[in-house]
Amino acid sequence: MSQTNTSLLDEVMHWSQETCRQELRSVMPKLTSLHHQSDSWDDHIRIMKIITDLFLPHIGLSELEDECFSKILPKAVTVFDSMMKEIMAQVSGLSSQNTELCNLLRNILQAMVQIIDALSTCVRHVGSFEETPDLDAIRSLPTCILKILKETFQHCKDSEVVYCGRLSLVADLLQGLFKEAYSLQKGLLELLERISLSSSAAEEEIADIVTVIHSLLDICSIISNLDIALHANTWKFIIKQSLKYQSLVEEHLRHGDISSSLCDNLLVSFHNCMELAEQIKYAGLQDSTQSPEYKLFEKTAKMCRFFANTLVHYIKEFKFFLTKYCSSFHQLYLQIISKFPPSLSAPALPKVLSEELNAAALVPMDAFLLQLLPFRPFAEVVLQDLRLSLEHELPQCLLLANVTGQLSGQPEEVLQLWYTGSQFPEETPRLPLYQAIFNSFRRCYTEHKVPVLLPGVMLKGQAQASVTLHQHICVRLCASVAVLPPLYFPVLERCLIDAVLQADTETALLATDVWCFTARYGTAELCLHHVLLIAHLVKVCSADCYQSFHLGLLLKRMVFLMTPNHQMELVEQFPPSKMENLQVWQHVLFRALSKEIRHRLTTEIIDVVQKILTDWQNGGYKLGQVDKMNLVLSSLLAAIRGQSSPEEQHMLSMSAARTVTQLWLRMSPDQLQTHPVLQNTLLLLLSISAILVKNIEPQIISQALLCLDAAVSHKCADQLLLAALEFLSSLGKIFVPSDSQSQILPRLSSLFGVFLADKSWLMHQHALEAFSYFAENTNHEEVISQSLCAEETKTKVVNYLSKTVHAQEDAESRLERLKQETQITEQHNEKLECNDKNDSNKLTVEDVADSEPCPKRARQETSTEDEYSRYIQTAESALKALQTLTESKTSTTASPPQWLESRLQELQTLITQIRTVK
């Protein structure tokens, strides 16, 4: 700088305030020119300080921009930027030994502080005017200050990396720099809050305020980890200004950046809260509310609540500009909900910390969801058939359940958006809400099995209880159905039938619960209509498919809800006297029916059983007719189980016992493996015999055990084994006559021994229960000891009876096992449904061939060889039983009857005659 210019500056510095005011017009242009031409940082700062300290106080508000700010502030930004670059260029050589460089960097930082101080002077001067300034009158001030603030905060944030272990050499100056910048931003925001733009503001002014908002948004991303209060106040200003000038700036704001930044800040503060809460828990400081850790947790929770509420408010005000970001909002909801109980990934926290977190993050999520309900893109994201990560499946299910609770009172277009699903090909595919809930619930298999617990509904006069996920979703769905407009009832019905007909039984049970509520809440005519529909579906379904099982469960429960007149109408529509209707009645619990209807059904079923049995006998016991026999036995079993009075039970038992006796005599052990259809017959006979065991003769029980022994010696279905255990346990209720004990008791002991040694944990558990029941009721104690020949089996039974608890699975291992089971179950269900898609369930030519043997095949089944085999097996079984009886009697004082010898001789003669026949 020339000597003349230096002399001017020296002279000006000694002027009084009055002199400065008088010479303002003549000197100010020279000073701004010198400032613009200055090359050194020292000259720049010296001139800037002279202008801001001596002359700025005398410049009027209307002249500030043109005479001062527009001329000196851009240069200040340039100089500040060059200082920052110089630091970055030199800092690598910084060390305590390099005092020259250390002093250089400290001087630069001090110079930066002086620039910020000069800017603060400018802000204070503008704020000193009583009149509110126009933004146009100070346009350069906020723009330049925000650029310097951004660089300053970024440098402070990166200081540990920039100075790399040598931060202590400049820490005091960096701290001072941050404080000055903090103070400068605070003053600037207070000044800007005083400014107001009119609705007719010029485009330049609108652009200026938008620039301020976006610049502060950029600063927020920098200061989030520097100072909580500064971060919060900056965000408050952004939102306040956005709303203050909403009509002017809403089309210019970076709504995506603002909303995503709010989401990110909410998640960061929320995760920080969770980490602090876990640290407090492990340190045992949850009761030390005055500890630094607890106070930091409270501050962080307060920030979390602030960001959650701010996001909700922003969505509410700018909803039409945020539709593109619904996927992010959906993910935010899932991430937050996944960290709260009952989610399996939620940490266990002390109650006081958990309540604080609930208020900070969980409670605002309800308001958050409420704002998003009208958004079509949000509904399209949520109602997709989503495959989420395992930890987000439960939050998705809870989200959908919460939607059902918030739809009440919404406009018609919102209800249609959520309830109906996509209607046209050009729409983005979305499921109806109820279908989405059932699909989501199905994927929460692990949560069902744990099981996770949620707060139940508050009932007057009762404490709030915890309920399973099934109960929670069921209550939400039923509450939704109760207020569902009639327009959407057909959609509900379709969703219910789809849920019942899918492969997952837990989901089908949920749909059954909701369906029963719907029928009970509605009219009796609605219930009748649904029952007739379900009965028709049961009738046309294949008996061994999962759909038939699910429909049968639903039908069984729905019949309870019918009036007696409507129950009679069901009987008229599906009379059991017709074979094709028996599949319906095998699923009905007869005790749900009135006494008159129950008597009529029982009578008709007995008649049709006798007719089918007679036809089978007259037809030569052809295996092709066994399916029909099994169908009538299923209905007979349902009738026996459903009798409520002793009189009804006695009448039916006598008739059913005669039928069962005839069928047991026709059962051939050797045919059970070669003809699988007979295994179904065996299963039904075992189940019926378990109920009628007191009405069955000992020789029939012996025959049943003989068939059962043949069946369990080979691999057979679990259902058959369970029926076998039911039958074996029922034998404890009878006393076997002495003349039959040798035929029955040894075989009974042997069968119990086989079942108790089963390696399948499920079958082993049922075997223990069956054996325990038998042991408690039987008079034949020798069976108990003979069943426990193996020491290992004996130990297991003793442990079970004494309720000895084995080493329990730890929670983590159990959870991991359940997750693996989830994958297996899902694969199994998907396989069932995939097979179902390939099978139309319509009666094709191939179906006929599978279900009804062709004439040629029927002739093979009743061939001469087959007839020989069946009769010789029956004779052999009878002779072996006679041999066992005879041998047992020789060891006692009792001798065989005298006529036995002559009868054996007659049989020998008969055998000789058979052998000599050509």
Side-chain angles (χ1 to χ4, degrees):
M1 183 178 291
S2 67
Q3 186 66 34
T4 304
N5 293 336
T6 303
S7 300
L8 175 62
L9 296 178
D10 292 340
E11 179 185 352
V12 167
M13 289 184 67
H14 293 91
W15 286 358
S16 65
Q17 287 293 323
E18 181 60 26
T19 305
C20 291
R21 185 183 65 78
Q22 293 173 355
E23 298 297 329
L24 176 66
R25 298 295 179 185
S26 61
V27 176
M28 191 64 184
K30 296 179 182 179
L31 291 175
T32 55
S33 178
L34 288 174
H35 180 265
H36 182 70
Q37 296 171 5
S38 62
D39 295 325
S40 71
W41 295 338
D42 291 339
D43 290 342
H44 164 80
I45 293 172
R46 183 183 182 191
I47 297 169
M48 188 174 183
K49 293 290 288 182
I50 290 172
I51 293 174
T52 56
D53 292 346
L54 300 178
F55 292 93
L56 185 63
H58 307 292
I59 303 176
L61 184 59
S62 61
E63 299 173 331
L64 278 174
E65 177 65 20
D66 294 334
E67 297 298 327
C68 181
F69 292 162
S70 63
K71 294 179 179 179
I72 68 169
L73 295 184
K75 181 64 179 292
V77 174
T78 303
V79 171
F80 196 90
D81 184 57
S82 65
M83 290 178 175
M84 197 66 74
K85 290 179 179 178
E86 183 64 19
I87 290 176
M88 300 303 292
Q90 299 291 336
V91 72
S92 60
L94 179 63
S95 68
S96 56
Q97 289 79 24
N98 192 344
T99 55
E100 182 179 351
L101 179 58
C102 184
N103 290 334
L104 171 64
L105 295 180
R106 289 181 64 85
N107 289 337
I108 294 175
L109 290 172
Q110 288 172 342
M112 294 166 71
V113 171
Q114 288 179 310
I115 293 176
I116 292 176
D117 183 62
L119 294 173
S120 296
T121 302
C122 296
V123 172
R124 284 194 296 271
H125 174 63
V126 176
S128 65
F129 292 101
E130 290 186 3
E131 59 182 302
T132 302
D134 292 331
L135 186 59
D136 191 54
I138 57 168
R139 175 175 296 169
S140 301
L141 183 64
T143 305
C144 294
I145 288 177
L146 290 172
K147 289 179 180 178
I148 288 176
L149 287 175
K150 182 179 178 181
E151 283 200 74
T152 302
F153 290 136
Q154 187 68 57
H155 187 70
C156 293
K157 181 180 181 179
D158 299 338
S159 57
E160 288 190 8
V161 176
V162 170
Y163 294 97
C164 191
R166 299 176 292 274
L167 185 58
S168 59
L169 299 176
V170 293
D172 57 330
L173 292 175
L174 283 173
Q175 189 174 12
L177 181 66
F178 180 80
K179 288 181 177 179
E180 288 294 330
Y182 189 115
S183 178
L184 174 60
Q185 177 169 315
K186 181 181 178 182
L188 177 63
L189 298 189
E190 290 174 353
L191 173 62
L192 291 173
E193 281 189 349
R194 293 176 56 196
I195 297 174
S196 295
L197 299 182
S198 67
S199 57
S200 58
E203 287 294 327
E204 293 80 3
E205 289 182 302
I206 297 174
D208 287 341
I209 198 66
V210 169
T211 300
V212 167
I213 292 172
H214 290 163
S215 298
L216 288 170
L217 179 64
D218 294 337
I219 288 174
C220 277
S221 65
I222 299 170
I223 62 176
S224 58
N225 294 326
L226 292 179
D227 188 275
I228 291 178
L230 178 64
H231 190 211
N233 289 331
T234 306
W235 265 112
K236 286 178 182 177
F237 180 85
I238 291 173
I239 301 302
K240 190 173 182 180
Q241 293 296 303
S242 299
L243 297 178
K244 183 178 179 180
Y245 305 116
Q246 182 173 355
S247 61
L248 299 176
V249 303
E250 62 183 2
E251 294 184 358
H252 305 284
L253 290 177
R254 292 172 3 213
H255 293 290
D257 292 340
I258 294 175
S259 61
S260 64
S261 185
L262 283 171
C263 291
D264 292 342
N265 280 288
L266 171 56
L267 281 176
V268 169
S269 58
F270 174 68
H271 289 145
N272 288 342
C273 270
M274 297 297 293
E275 291 176 5
L276 287 168
E278 292 193 74
Q279 291 172 15
I280 291 172
K281 171 192 170 183
Y282 292 131
L285 300 174
Q286 55 266 29
D287 298 324
S288 304
T289 56
Q290 299 304 312
S291 65
E293 293 85 354
Y294 197 93
K295 288 186 175 181
L296 179 59
F297 169 78
E298 288 183 318
K299 286 183 180 179
T300 310
K302 189 176 180 181
M303 285 298 293
C304 183
R305 187 185 301 111
F306 165 75
F307 282 118
N309 292 331
T310 301
L311 178 60
V312 172
H313 192 50
Y314 193 82
I315 292 173
K316 179 181 179 182
E317 298 298 333
F318 296 99
K319 60 180 64 176
F320 299 110
F321 299 92
L322 297 172
T323 55
K324 294 187 292 185
Y325 314 108
C326 286
S327 180
S328 299
F329 297 150
H330 178 226
Q331 288 300 313
L332 171 70
Y333 188 98
L334 297 182
Q335 289 181 62
I336 288 181
I337 300 300
S338 69
K339 297 304 178 183
F340 285 97
S343 176
L344 298 176
S345 58
L349 298 175
K351 183 178 179 181
V352 63
L353 301 178
S354 180
E355 289 176 350
E356 189 79 28
L357 276 169
N358 284 352
L362 191 59
V363 172
M365 286 298 101
D366 284 338
F368 177 69
L369 183 59
L370 185 61
Q371 294 302 323
L372 295 172
L373 281 185
F375 288 12
R376 175 174 287 271
F378 182 71
E380 289 171 348
V381 170
V382 172
L383 295 177
Q384 291 179 32
D385 193 12
L386 297 171
R387 276 290 179 179
L388 302 169
S389 61
L390 288 178
E391 68 174 13
H392 285 170
E393 292 291 6
L394 177 61
Q396 171 72 4
C397 187
L398 297 178
L399 184 159
L400 292 166
N402 288 341
V403 168
T404 63
Q406 294 194 357
L407 283 177
S408 178
Q410 290 290 330
E412 180 63 30
E413 58 269 20
V414 177
L415 298 182
Q416 185 176 10
L417 174 66
W418 287 92
Y419 282 134
T420 60
S422 52
Q423 301 292 304
F424 305 103
E426 59 270 19
E427 289 186 82
T428 300
R430 68 181 191 279
L431 300 174
L433 175 60
Y434 293 121
Q435 184 179 349
I437 292 175
F438 287 125
N439 288 0
S440 181
F441 178 83
R442 171 174 170 169
R443 297 190 184 111
C444 296
Y445 177 86
T446 307
E447 286 80 2
H448 301 321
K449 297 301 178 186
V450 169
V452 299
L453 298 176
L454 297 97
V457 177
M458 293 287 287
L459 298 176
K460 187 176 181 180
Q462 298 182 21
Q464 186 178 32
S466 295
V467 298
T468 63
L469 179 63
H470 181 111
Q471 291 172 287
H472 177 80
I473 300 299
C474 183
V475 169
R476 293 298 187 101
L477 286 173
C478 292
S480 173
V481 169
V483 296
L484 184 69
L487 175 65
Y488 306 109
F489 200 77
V491 180
L492 169 65
E493 290 177 314
R494 287 196 296 271
C495 293
L496 288 174
I497 193 64
D498 285 343
V500 169
L501 293 177
Q502 50 78 61
D504 182 61
T505 300
E506 188 75 31
T507 306
L509 288 174
L510 175 63
T512 297
D513 287 339
V514 177
W515 201 325
C516 288
F517 171 83
T518 304
R520 189 173 184 180
Y521 192 81
T523 64
E525 287 69 25
L526 174 67
C527 181
L528 172 63
H529 171 71
H530 282 173
V531 169
L532 294 177
L533 170 66
I534 297 163
H536 177 73
L537 292 174
V538 169
K539 180 178 176 180
V540 299
C541 262
S542 172
D544 57 351
C545 67
Y546 62 85
Q547 292 96 335
S548 178
F549 175 67
H550 293 167
L551 288 167
L553 290 175
L554 177 59
L555 180 63
K556 185 176 296 184
R557 291 181 57 184
M558 292 283 281
V559 170
F560 272 98
L561 306 177
M562 301 177 74
T563 65
N565 290 338
H566 287 164
Q567 288 180 348
M568 183 59 74
E569 188 168 342
L570 176 64
V571 176
E572 298 294 341
Q573 292 273 356
F574 298 92
S577 55
K578 294 184 178 180
M579 276 289 298
E580 62 268 20
N581 295 327
L582 288 179
Q583 189 158 316
V584 173
W585 295 107
Q586 69 182 353
H587 294 291
V588 174
L589 197 60
F590 277 48
R591 71 170 66 100
L593 305 170
S594 66
K595 184 176 181 180
E596 294 75 12
I597 298 174
R598 193 164 58 242
H599 178 74
R600 173 179 170 177
L601 284 176
T602 302
T603 303
E604 291 191 23
I605 287 176
I606 291 174
D607 290 343
V608 76
V609 169
Q610 288 298 330
K611 179 180 183 302
I612 295 299
L613 180 58
T614 302
D615 291 345
W616 190 40
Q617 290 173 334
N618 295 337
Y621 298 106
K622 294 180 180 179
L623 287 173
Q625 301 299 313
V626 172
D627 279 332
K628 288 185 178 180
M629 198 69 240
N630 289 345
L631 182 58
V632 296
L633 285 177
S634 297
S635 300
L636 180 61
L637 177 60
I640 294 171
R641 285 174 172 170
Q643 301 305 315
S644 56
S645 67
E647 297 80 10
E648 294 173 340
Q649 186 72 39
H650 177 72
M651 179 194 72
L652 182 59
S653 297
M654 298 303 294
S655 175
R658 289 193 295 271
T659 300
V660 168
T661 298
Q662 294 178 65
L663 290 171
W664 274 123
L665 291 174
R666 296 304 310 170
M667 292 296 291
S668 171
D670 291 342
Q671 287 184 314
L672 289 172
Q673 294 303 319
T674 55
H675 302 288
V677 68
L678 291 175
Q679 292 192 12
N680 292 333
T681 310
L682 177 61
L683 185 155
L684 292 165
L685 287 175
L686 288 169
S687 296
I688 296 173
S689 300
I691 301 172
L692 306 178
V693 66
K694 293 182 179 180
N695 301 93
I696 299 179
E697 296 296 326
Q699 62 268 30
I700 302 302
I701 294 176
S702 177
Q703 174 69 5
L705 293 176
L706 185 67
C707 292
L708 185 54
D709 193 20
V712 299
S713 62
H714 299 84
K715 184 175 178 60
C716 51
D718 289 346
Q719 295 94 320
L720 175 57
L721 298 180
L722 293 175
L725 286 170
E726 180 187 11
F727 173 69
L728 293 180
S729 67
S730 72
L731 296 179
K733 295 184 289 186
I734 64 170
F735 179 79
V736 180
S738 57
D739 58 348
S740 301
Q741 289 181 6
S742 60
Q743 304 172 48
I744 295 175
L745 300 187
R747 188 165 286 123
L748 180 58
S749 301
S750 174
L751 285 168
F752 267 128
V754 171
F755 279 111
L756 290 170
D758 199 296
K759 299 301 181 182
S760 165
W761 67 267
L762 179 63
M763 204 57 59
H764 180 69
Q765 179 64 25
H766 280 280
L768 289 171
E769 293 175 5
F771 185 73
S772 174
Y773 180 85
F774 175 86
E776 289 174 2
N777 293 279
T778 188
N779 290 315
H780 302 288
E781 296 184 358
E782 63 271 26
V783 174
I784 301 174
S785 58
Q786 292 171 8
S787 301
L788 305 177
C789 296
E791 193 62 33
E792 182 182 359
T793 301
K794 184 177 181 179
T795 302
K796 289 179 179 179
V797 172
V798 171
N799 288 340
Y800 173 78
L801 294 175
S802 60
K803 297 181 171 59
T804 302
V805 178
H806 298 283
Q808 291 188 334
E809 194 176 23
D810 64 87
E812 186 176 346
S813 300
R814 180 172 182 268
L815 182 59
E816 189 59 34
R817 173 176 60 78
L818 289 175
K819 288 180 179 179
Q820 294 174 359
E821 288 180 7
T822 299
Q823 298 175 358
I824 295 171
T825 303
E826 286 180 348
Q827 292 171 2
H828 173 70
N829 288 337
E830 288 170 1
K831 182 179 179 181
L832 287 176
E833 291 174 340
C834 182
N835 292 340
D836 192 48
K837 288 179 182 178
N838 297 331
D839 220 359
S840 64
N841 263 346
K842 293 181 179 178
L843 203 61
T844 61
V845 175
E846 290 79 6
D847 293 325
V848 174
D850 289 338
S851 61
E852 291 291 337
C854 63
K856 182 178 179 181
R857 184 175 176 185
R859 192 160 57 246
Q860 289 176 344
E861 290 174 344
T862 57
S863 65
T864 304
E865 182 180 352
D866 194 34
E867 291 288 329
Y868 275 117
S869 175
R870 184 165 65 252
Y871 290 128
I872 199 66
Q873 287 169 4
T874 304
E876 184 180 9
S877 298
L879 289 172
K880 284 183 178 179
L882 180 62
Q883 182 185 17
T884 303
L885 180 62
T886 305
E887 291 174 350
S888 65
K889 295 299 181 181
T890 57
S891 60
T892 64
T893 56
S895 59
Q898 295 180 358
W899 51 261
L900 179 61
E901 182 66 29
S902 60
R903 293 295 300 274
L904 288 175
Q905 188 62 43
E906 291 175 6
L907 287 174
Q908 183 64 45
T909 303
L910 181 60
I911 292 172
T912 303
Q913 291 174 354
I914 294 173
R915 293 177 63 185
T916 57
V917 174
K918 298 295 184 180

